[in-house]
Amino acid sequence: MADGMTQHCDLCKRLRLSLHWHIKSKNMTAVVQLILASLTGVAVALIATYLPSIWRPWFGRPSLESYAPGFNLVLAPQKALEEKPPLHGEALQALKVALEMLNDGKRDKALRLFKQAEALSPHHPDILLHYGEFIEEEDIIHAEHLYVRALAVSPGNSRALANRGRTLPKVRQLDQEMLDKIDGKRDELFRIPKGSLAMKRAVTEAYYQHIYHTNAIEGNTMTLSMTRAVVETRMAISGKSILEHNEVLGLDEAMKFINGSLLQKQEKITVDDIREIHRRVLGHAHPLEAGRYRTTQVYVSDHVPPSPADVEHHMNEFNDWLLSREPEMLHPIEFAALAHYKLVYIHPFTDGNGRTGRLVMNSILMRAGFPPVIIRYQDRHDYYEFLNIANHGDVRPFIRFVARCTERTIDEYLSVTTIYPVGHSKHPELTDAHDLNHEGDDKWPRLKPYI
């Protein structure tokens, strides 16, 4: 009897012990599963973060059309597209007549009517598609741009998708050929001897040219000769305001900072560098606002920049982009133009955003071996128009504009350093005329700034 009770107690103990270890084992299994799940989540996050930077260099740099609505920008172009044009009916009527003219073989009249229809209703997909198809053979780049605008309004439009799919490869090729051509001219510029007196004179001239043109774009009425006198002598010009004098001095200080500090820097350009540039641009004209983010809302034509409360957040995102791998996979001209556009879109400062943006653009170009580019006063309307087009989702026209300015700049350097035979026609004389229609302003002295 006693032996039976002992065996029964031993069995109970073994059962309790087995149950205890079973429960403990289940708890341990749950813990292990939880740890494994956490590790898996971390691994997935790391792969998602770093895998693009590994495979992108192997599969080519990203194409610009992938950045169409802002290239990771903090913009919402759809707002502009949602506005209903007040002349929608008139635009469709102009389109109807244009198609009739086209059927009758009257292409010149049809072209004028297509342009009129687009002006009356710039975001109507049918108008954009018909107009693009009409000009595709003569101007495939503009046609493809119209298809992009149509897709921005109607992303699922099969006709727009087919048209863009047909034209995009050709446009990519043309863009790449343009950049390759500019690279070749830059290499030719490198072969000019460092001690060339002609080059030194061109660089000096370009320094004053940049200050003159970039201030003139913003409304400064100083002429080229006045600008030079203020920089060289620090003397006042009769009849010109203190503000205009200070704007010239501010550009001079900013360009000296870029030459003496920023171009020697091995690290990437950051938002802190941009604020230092702005601190000098406005250091004489508006010292209390220099280098500081704005605290009030500003308006730039029909573009409304982000609110003051969001400026710092957007600038932090901009800084992350500057430090990322993406700019490294772009051509320097593309990188410089995009950096300029991003900055002026955010419009982080109360004043001086355009001047600072152009200086940042040139800093990037010069660090890549290109001469600094002058956007001329005469070209300011195109400049603003291409920035406005970028606000509506296609930044490539602005990049092409910067590329053309870069090529013209290099051509001018090559021209002034070329020895011409006796009897060759002279270059136009240097002029300080503050006039859009002055032909002399369109010639060689549009040279490279700061060195």
Side-chain angles (χ1 to χ4, degrees):
M1 183 76 175
D3 292 340
M5 291 294 295
T6 301
Q7 292 176 357
H8 179 71
C9 290
D10 290 341
L11 179 62
C12 290
K13 289 179 180 179
R14 285 197 296 271
L15 288 173
R16 285 197 300 270
L17 185 61
S18 175
L19 182 61
H20 171 73
W21 280 106
H22 178 68
I23 295 173
K24 187 175 181 180
S25 175
K26 288 182 64 177
N27 291 337
M28 290 180 65
T29 301
V31 171
V32 170
Q33 290 175 345
L34 180 61
I35 293 174
L36 290 175
S38 300
L39 292 175
T40 302
V42 172
V44 170
L46 290 173
I47 291 172
T49 301
Y50 294 104
L51 184 61
S53 64
I54 296 174
W55 62 259
R56 280 178 186 167
W58 293 96
F59 291 92
R61 62 184 180 85
S63 57
L64 287 176
E65 63 275 359
S66 63
Y67 312 137
F71 182 42
N72 296 331
L73 268 176
V74 289
L75 65 90
Q78 195 63 32
K79 290 181 179 179
L81 305 180
E82 291 172 355
E83 299 176 358
K84 293 183 179 179
L87 301 174
H88 180 77
E90 290 84 343
L92 290 179
Q93 183 62 31
L95 174 63
K96 179 181 177 181
V97 177
L99 293 175
E100 292 175 356
M101 293 293 104
L102 182 59
N103 291 333
D104 294 338
K106 301 176 181 178
R107 294 186 61 85
D108 291 342
K109 292 184 177 180
L111 176 59
R112 290 194 292 270
L113 288 165
F114 278 127
K115 290 181 178 180
Q116 179 184 358
E118 183 199 13
L120 293 172
S121 183
H123 306 301
H124 195 289
D126 289 341
I127 294 174
L128 296 173
L129 290 173
H130 280 294
Y131 185 19
E133 291 164 355
F134 175 76
I135 65 171
E136 186 174 315
E137 292 185 5
E138 290 78 17
D139 190 353
I140 191 172
I141 291 179
H142 188 198
E144 192 269 343
H145 167 66
L146 294 173
Y147 302 149
V148 170
R149 287 167 55 188
L151 286 171
V153 181
S154 179
N157 191 307
S158 59
R159 183 175 161 198
L161 289 169
N163 288 352
R164 188 165 189 250
R166 180 180 63 255
T167 56
L168 182 56
K170 298 177 183 178
V171 172
R172 285 179 177 173
Q173 182 180 354
L174 291 173
D175 285 341
Q176 189 58 52
E177 289 174 355
M178 171 188 65
L179 295 175
D180 291 341
K181 180 182 178 182
I182 295 173
D183 286 341
K185 291 185 177 182
R186 177 196 59 180
D187 296 342
E188 186 177 349
L189 193 63
F190 285 158
R191 290 192 287 271
I192 297 175
K194 290 185 178 180
S196 170
L197 293 178
M199 177 60 77
K200 290 181 179 179
R201 287 193 295 269
V203 168
T204 301
E205 177 61 30
Y207 189 91
Y208 300 113
Q209 288 279 342
H210 178 83
I211 298 177
Y212 161 67
H213 281 284
T214 199
N215 274 333
I217 288 175
E218 304 300 331
N220 190 301
T221 62
M222 289 268 192
T223 64
L224 176 60
S225 59
M226 292 176 182
T227 299
R228 182 192 293 267
V230 170
V231 173
E232 291 180 341
T233 68
R234 293 301 197 264
M235 299 288 288
I237 303 297
S238 176
K240 298 300 177 181
S241 68
I242 295 176
L243 176 63
E244 289 184 317
H245 285 79
N246 285 334
E247 288 176 344
V248 171
L249 297 176
L251 257 296
D252 180 42
E253 292 292 333
M255 290 161 67
K256 287 178 179 176
F257 166 72
I258 291 172
N259 286 329
S261 176
L262 202 54
L263 294 184
Q264 317 304 324
K265 179 182 176 181
Q266 298 299 320
E267 298 83 6
K268 297 180 179 180
I269 292 177
T270 66
V271 164
D272 290 336
D273 297 321
I274 294 174
R275 295 181 72 169
E276 287 300 319
I277 293 174
H278 185 263
R279 194 185 312 278
R280 288 158 176 80
V281 169
L282 287 195
H284 292 270
H286 303 288
L288 296 181
E289 298 175 356
R292 298 175 180 271
Y293 292 149
R294 58 183 167 84
T295 57
T296 58
Q297 184 63 54
V298 294
Y299 302 90
V300 186
S301 184
D302 60 348
H303 168 55
V304 182
S307 69
D310 298 329
V311 165
E312 187 167 2
H313 169 70
H314 293 325
M315 290 300 288
N316 289 338
E317 288 188 343
F318 181 35
N319 192 61
D320 292 341
W321 177 75
L322 289 171
L323 297 176
S324 70
R325 293 288 305 277
E326 291 183 10
E328 297 176 7
M329 294 181 281
L330 297 170
H331 188 280
I333 292 176
E334 296 170 343
F335 175 27
L338 284 168
H340 176 347
Y341 171 64
K342 282 174 174 282
L343 182 65
V344 298
Y345 178 86
I346 299 171
H347 225 76
F349 310 111
T350 303
D351 190 21
N353 295 276
R355 283 165 284 175
T356 302
R358 292 187 285 276
L359 288 172
V360 170
M361 175 184 74
N362 277 333
S363 300
I364 294 171
L365 287 173
M366 287 189 288
R367 284 163 65 98
F370 287 87
V373 173
I374 296 175
I375 296 178
R376 302 178 303 179
Y377 168 69
Q378 298 94 313
D379 297 329
R380 71 190 189 280
H381 295 299
D382 290 339
Y383 171 63
Y384 287 131
E385 176 61 22
F386 288 124
L387 285 174
N388 184 56
I389 290 174
N391 288 340
H392 289 83
D394 192 356
V395 74
R396 294 171 304 162
F398 178 67
I399 294 173
R400 295 180 189 118
F401 171 76
V402 173
R404 289 193 296 272
C405 293
T406 304
E407 183 176 14
R408 184 187 63 236
T409 292
I410 297 175
D411 287 340
E412 289 160 353
Y413 270 124
L414 294 174
S415 175
V416 298
T417 55
T418 300
I419 299 177
Y420 293 96
V422 176
H424 190 277
S425 59
K426 282 184 62 179
H427 285 287
E429 296 295 330
L430 176 63
T431 175
D432 65 355
H434 205 77
D435 184 357
L436 274 175
N437 298 318
H438 196 293
E439 294 184 3
D441 274 351
D442 205 0
K443 299 298 181 181
W444 80 272
R446 306 299 170 267
L447 294 176
K448 298 355 58 244
Y450 19 115
I451 286 186

